[in-house]
Amino acid sequence: MTVHGTESEPVGTFPSSGVDVLIVGTGLAGLSAAIECIRKGHSVRVLERAATINTLGDMYFMGLPATRFFKHWPEMKAEYDSIGLHNAWIETSKHSGELMVKPLYVNDRLKAVGLDPKTPPGTFQLRPLIYKMFVKQVERLGVKIEFNSRVVDYFESEDGKKGGCVTDDGKRYEADVVIAADGVGSKSQKLVGGQVRAVSSGRAMWRAAFPIENLDKDPEVKEHYKMIGPNDSEPIVRTYLGPGTYAMTLTRPETMIWIINHNATGSSAESWSNTIEPKEVLDTMDEGTGPNPWDPWMKRLIACTPEKTIVNFELLWRDPQPSWKSPNGRVVQIGDAAHSFLPASGNGATQAIEDAVSIASCLQLCSGKDNVPEAVEAHIRFRFTRNACAQKVGFSNAELLQDTDWTKVKFDPKRAQPKHPKWVWQHDPETYTYEHYEKNVETMKKGIRFDESEIPPNYPPGYKYEPWTIDWVMDCMRQGKPVELGAGNWD
């Protein structure tokens, strides 16, 4: 299959596909889908329940596969290169403050294992900066976004040739395909038959990001958490690992960020608007950490945090959803609507953007709106096992972070590092789709499972998908057993 415009050409390289796409949600998945669907020649409309796009937040990890499509958008790539943590340091301590792994320059670590620092497997990014970058691109493309459009239901037309949704004011929208990118509470769950129950993990995250000037309240704290490198000019990620907890701080020129994993409290909730005050954190953070309390420097940092800044986000676990599409394939879920991730996975943002690139490419390759169901099914086959495996890695990482073996870390610092496998970061979702779409559809029509189709895997080599549940994960944890990842090379 010959496909043009896959290297560096921006919008305008693909002719109209004739496919009308309606996207619900303006998270990373929704915005990425809008950007790439336009480049692929689709007609795009977007609905957003809020009055504006939310560009607030702290930080997350963006893997290399999520940034590969920037090569098609020079403005995005230039801005990403300017805001990324490409010259960062990282150090690791016990939660009590005892330094275990001295500051290491990330670029040196990459070179030591034969990787190019210019294209690292991933980087920590500030959510506000990344979202503003995506918003600028959407605005440049003139994407029509209808704000204050809260979707309360999804449907398919009687003839199965259209998908649609209904907003809370009774408006009905239809398109050749509806991409539900509206998060874990998506109302599309009922139609796709993929609703899975949320199970409390008993854990939550305190998360805060605020202007660095707030550290002027305590000059000693400002000095302790200063940047590093030449003239103290380079960002540093400080990680803290303790019994049943872990934390991270990020110091940038303009922003201070801290995150702590902790036992869920009565004020924890799965909401980014659920804020608490510093006193609540300081009063409870030592609970469950054993005989050694938290590092006094961390406590003083928390005390510098402005009011109404700390989010107490509860971590709910969910089984892999059995279905991501409606019966006739005219509504498809992507991002958190299809698969939620633990923060320890380092994969939520990456997989959401991969989804967007994949579905946009599949819709291009299916040759017209009549074949949208084929594209949707092919996309899910490309994505399902990969995401289920990435979700599993998140549980394995959570175990490592909350139960670190310090006797081993002293001899091998990698023992304190979460897994970020090669099969995750080497992937290119666009190239993979272009190279294997025809074979995927061919084997799909023959009823051959994707992991038996002889298509090179985008998941651990040698792995065969086996269903797993949160109940199994929790049972392993109760018995003190590791969460077994399964056969194959998880790297």
Side-chain angles (χ1 to χ4, degrees):
M1 178 176 294
T2 301
V3 180
H4 302 288
T6 61
E7 289 304 319
S8 59
E9 301 91 336
V11 65
T13 53
F14 294 109
S16 171
S17 67
V19 177
D20 180 23
V21 179
L22 177 64
I23 299 168
V24 180
T26 59
L28 281 182
L31 292 176
S32 301
I35 292 167
E36 281 299 282
C37 280
I38 285 179
R39 190 171 70 86
K40 302 296 186 182
H42 315 319
S43 173
V44 175
R45 293 170 291 158
V46 180
L47 302 181
E48 168 53 43
R49 62 186 174 188
T52 59
I53 296 175
N54 178 12
T55 59
L56 301 177
D58 44 70
M59 68 176 175
Y60 45 48
F61 186 82
M62 283 189 71
L64 181 59
T67 65
R68 294 187 191 277
F69 83 99
F70 294 166
K71 65 190 176 186
H72 304 301
W73 305 102
E75 300 95 337
M76 288 187 77
K77 187 177 187 309
E79 186 167 356
Y80 182 78
D81 289 344
S82 70
I83 64 179
L85 295 181
H86 304 302
N87 57 341
W89 296 71
I90 188 167
E91 71 173 30
T92 303
S93 301
K94 292 184 178 180
H95 79 288
S96 58
E98 180 184 351
L99 183 65
M100 300 302 291
V101 181
K102 66 180 182 180
L104 297 171
Y105 191 44
V106 173
N107 285 356
D108 288 343
R109 295 174 67 183
L110 293 171
K111 291 176 182 176
V113 293
L115 298 177
D116 183 356
K118 294 181 180 179
T119 54
T123 58
F124 285 105
Q125 298 290 349
L126 262 66
R127 185 184 188 278
L129 298 181
I130 293 296
Y131 263 81
K132 288 175 183 176
M133 180 187 76
F134 273 81
V135 171
K136 288 177 188 175
Q137 184 61 39
V138 167
E139 290 174 344
R140 280 191 288 263
L141 295 174
V143 176
K144 180 182 179 183
I145 302 177
E146 294 188 32
F147 293 101
N148 296 307
S149 299
R150 182 178 292 273
V151 173
V152 296
D153 197 16
Y154 288 78
F155 64 88
E156 289 185 311
S157 61
E158 291 186 6
D159 62 5
K161 294 184 178 180
K162 296 284 184 179
C165 63
V166 182
T167 54
D168 57 0
D169 58 0
K171 289 183 180 178
R172 291 172 64 88
Y173 298 81
E174 285 193 355
D176 297 320
V177 61
V178 178
I179 298 177
D182 44 352
V184 293
S186 175
K187 299 300 182 182
S188 62
Q189 303 288 10
K190 180 179 177 181
L191 180 64
V192 306
Q195 182 67 58
V196 293
R197 64 188 176 95
V199 178
S200 174
S201 66
R203 308 294 299 172
M205 301 289 286
W206 291 313
R207 313 179 67 113
F210 51 89
I212 198 79
E213 291 78 18
N214 285 273
L215 298 189
D216 291 338
K217 302 172 187 175
D218 190 334
E220 290 181 344
V221 168
K222 187 172 185 178
E223 174 67 19
H224 181 79
Y225 283 102
K226 68 181 180 181
M227 294 195 294
I228 200 170
N231 301 315
D232 297 331
S233 61
E234 296 176 336
I236 179 169
V237 175
R238 295 177 171 93
T239 59
Y240 300 81
L241 306 179
T245 187
Y246 62 89
M248 183 181 300
T249 69
L250 169 61
T251 309
R252 286 180 58 110
E254 73 291 344
T255 307
M256 186 72 217
I257 294 175
W258 62 264
I259 299 172
I260 300 178
N261 180 284
H262 64 97
N263 289 327
T265 63
S267 64
S268 304
E270 193 180 40
S271 169
W272 292 108
S273 60
N274 178 47
T275 60
I276 61 173
E277 299 307 322
K279 185 178 184 302
E280 180 176 337
V281 178
L282 293 169
D283 287 347
T284 59
M285 64 186 299
D286 284 334
E287 296 177 3
T289 59
N292 298 315
W294 265 98
D295 181 4
W297 287 112
M298 176 64 83
K299 293 180 178 180
R300 290 171 66 176
L301 173 64
I302 293 168
C304 292
T305 306
E307 295 181 353
K308 301 186 184 304
T309 299
I310 304 170
V311 175
N312 190 9
F313 195 92
E314 185 174 9
L315 302 178
L316 301 181
W317 292 349
R318 294 172 174 86
D319 295 338
Q321 286 185 189
S323 173
W324 300 356
K325 70 179 183 67
S326 55
N328 294 306
R330 295 292 175 167
V331 175
V332 59
Q333 299 171 329
I334 65 172
D336 281 349
H339 44 73
S340 60
F341 281 87
L342 289 178
S345 70
N347 256 306
T350 301
Q351 297 306 322
I353 295 174
E354 284 189 27
D355 281 354
V357 174
S358 172
I359 187 62
S361 300
C362 287
L363 290 170
Q364 177 200 13
L365 299 176
C366 74
S367 302
K369 60 186 178 181
D370 290 341
N371 295 320
V372 163
E374 170 195 289
V376 167
E377 180 66 25
H379 158 76
I380 293 172
R381 280 167 60 90
F382 279 138
R383 304 294 304 153
F384 183 83
T385 301
R386 176 171 173 80
N387 271 279
C389 290
Q391 286 173 306
K392 244 185 180 183
V393 169
F395 292 108
S396 178
N397 282 344
E399 283 184 317
L400 180 150
L401 293 170
Q402 294 170 201
D403 190 20
T404 303
D405 188 336
W406 290 111
T407 59
K408 295 180 179 178
V409 171
K410 288 182 178 180
F411 300 101
D412 183 3
K414 292 192 293 295
R415 297 277 187 171
Q417 297 173 14
K419 298 180 181 68
H420 190 56
K422 186 179 294 186
W423 57 266
V424 171
W425 61 262
Q426 281 193 334
H427 186 57
D428 183 333
E430 182 180 37
T431 299
Y432 188 80
T433 301
Y434 282 146
E435 290 180 350
H436 304 298
Y437 183 84
E438 289 182 343
K439 183 70 172 180
N440 189 10
V441 172
E442 175 190 332
T443 54
M444 176 177 76
K445 291 179 177 179
K446 293 179 179 179
I448 299 173
R449 281 177 36 149
F450 185 71
D451 58 7
E452 296 176 351
S453 65
E454 298 183 356
I455 294 173
N458 57 2
Y459 48 86
Y463 177 76
K464 298 292 184 181
Y465 176 71
E466 299 175 354
W468 56 271
T469 66
I470 292 301
D471 288 338
W472 167 74
V473 172
M474 296 182 74
D475 188 54
C476 288
M477 292 182 171
R478 280 192 294 266
Q479 296 181 44
K481 298 179 180 178
V483 175
E484 295 293 341
L485 295 175
N489 179 15
W490 291 75
D491 191 28

